[in-house]
Amino acid sequence: MKTTNRTGSTGPRLSRDLIVETALAQIDRAGTQGLSMRSLAQDLGVEAMSLYRYVHGKEDLLEGVVASLMLDLTTRLQEARPEAEHWQGFLQTVAHEVRRIATDHPKAFPLVATRHPAAPWLRPPLRSIEVVNTFLVALTENGFTDGQAVNAYRAFSSFLLGQLLLQSVVAGAEAGPAEEPLDEGGAAIPEGDGSMALDTAPEVRRLRALLSEDRTDEEFEVSLEALLDRLDRELSQ
C-alpha cells in the first residue's frame, strides 16, 4: 500500500519496520548523534508527529534498531547450525556474523555493544535471548558441559566485544555516551531485573543461574594469562 506524504506525493506505507530501517540507514551515514525524529521524518517525507504512532521516541527507535540487527543475526545463526560439522565451525560462524554487523554498520555497532541487554545476566554483543539460546544449544549438543558452555559464552562475548568495538571506533563510530537524553517519549526499556518469559529459550532458562554468576575477576585474569602466554610463545619462536 502507498501513503500520501507531506509533499503530496505517494510513498511506501509508514510502518515501524520502515522507520527502523530508515533510522539504521541514517545512523550508517551520520552516527547516532545525527539521528533525530525530525531528521528521520524528513528522510521519510512525513511529519515528525506521524512517527509517534509507531515509535515512542529516540530511545525506542534505537531499541528497534538493535532488535532488528539481532533478529537478522539470530536467523543467520539458526540457518548455520545444521551445516556446522564441528562446534569450532559454529563459533567461527558466530564470530564472522557478528563481525559482519560491525563491518556493515560500524556506527550502529556500539548500540549493540553498549545498550541494555535483554537481561542483566546477558552480555553484549551476544545480547539477545534468542542468540544466546542458539549459542548454548550448539555447544551443549557438541559435548560441552553446562559450565563449559557458559564459560565459552562469556569468553567469546569478551573477545567479540573488544575486537569489534575497537574496529567500529577506528571506522568512525561514536563510542561515548550521548550528550543529551535519548528518550523523547514513553519508550519501553528492556527488563531491568531479567524477570521475563523464557519459554522460547529453554537452554537459557535452564542455565540462567550459571549465566547470572559474577566471574569478572577470574575472567580478567584468565584472559590476561592467555595473552601473556601467547606473547611468550611468539617471543620464543
Side-chain angles (χ1 to χ4, degrees), residues 55-66:
V55 293
H56 301 299
K58 189 172 178 180
E59 181 81 9
D60 186 33
L61 186 59
L62 295 181
E63 292 297 325
V65 168
V66 173

Side-chain angles (χ1 to χ4, degrees), residues 25-230:
Q26 194 171 106
I27 291 171
D28 286 342
R29 294 194 306 271
T32 55
Q33 298 295 336
L35 176 67
S36 70
M37 299 299 279
R38 180 172 298 182
S39 64
L40 183 59
Q42 187 173 24
D43 276 3
L44 289 165
V46 298
E47 298 291 340
M49 287 303 298
S50 64
L51 301 180
Y52 287 91
R53 292 181 54 193
Y54 306 94
V55 293
H56 301 299
K58 189 172 178 180
E59 181 81 9
D60 186 33
L61 186 59
L62 295 181
E63 292 297 325
V65 168
V66 173
S68 176
L69 293 172
M70 287 295 99
L71 178 60
D72 184 49
L73 176 62
T74 301
T75 301
R76 289 172 178 269
L77 294 187
Q78 289 176 343
E79 291 174 351
R81 272 195 59 215
E83 301 173 3
E85 298 180 357
H86 192 271
W87 62 266
Q88 290 182 345
F90 176 73
L91 292 189
Q92 287 179 333
T93 298
V94 173
H96 287 292
E97 289 297 341
V98 177
R99 187 171 188 265
R100 183 183 57 81
I101 298 175
T103 300
D104 293 350
H105 307 286
K107 295 181 180 179
F109 185 77
L111 294 175
V112 177
T114 61
R115 288 181 66 76
H116 324 280
W121 31 273
L122 297 183
R123 299 179 170 196
L126 305 180
R127 61 190 304 286
S128 78
I129 295 292
E130 294 79 13
V131 168
V132 176
N133 195 73
T134 301
F135 185 95
L136 294 174
V137 168
L139 295 191
T140 55
E141 287 183 350
N142 279 277
F144 281 64
T145 66
D146 292 349
Q148 288 171 335
V150 171
N151 286 341
Y153 161 71
R154 288 177 169 142
F156 213 63
S157 296
S158 297
F159 161 74
L160 291 174
L161 187 62
Q163 290 287 329
L164 300 181
L165 191 54
L166 176 60
Q167 174 183 315
S168 297
V169 171
V170 169
E174 293 281 347
E179 296 179 358
E180 56 183 309
L182 294 177
D183 192 12
E184 301 173 21
I189 306 301
E191 297 282 354
D193 59 1
S195 57
M196 62 189 69
L198 296 176
D199 294 339
T200 60
E203 201 69 357
V204 172
R205 180 178 56 201
R206 189 176 70 82
L207 298 178
R208 176 173 170 173
L210 284 175
L211 290 167
S212 302
E213 291 180 358
D214 183 0
R215 305 279 291 278
T216 51
D217 290 343
E218 177 184 341
E219 291 171 54
F220 180 84
E221 295 300 333
V222 169
S223 297
L224 178 58
E225 288 298 323
L227 173 59
L228 296 178
D229 287 345
R230 191 190 71 174

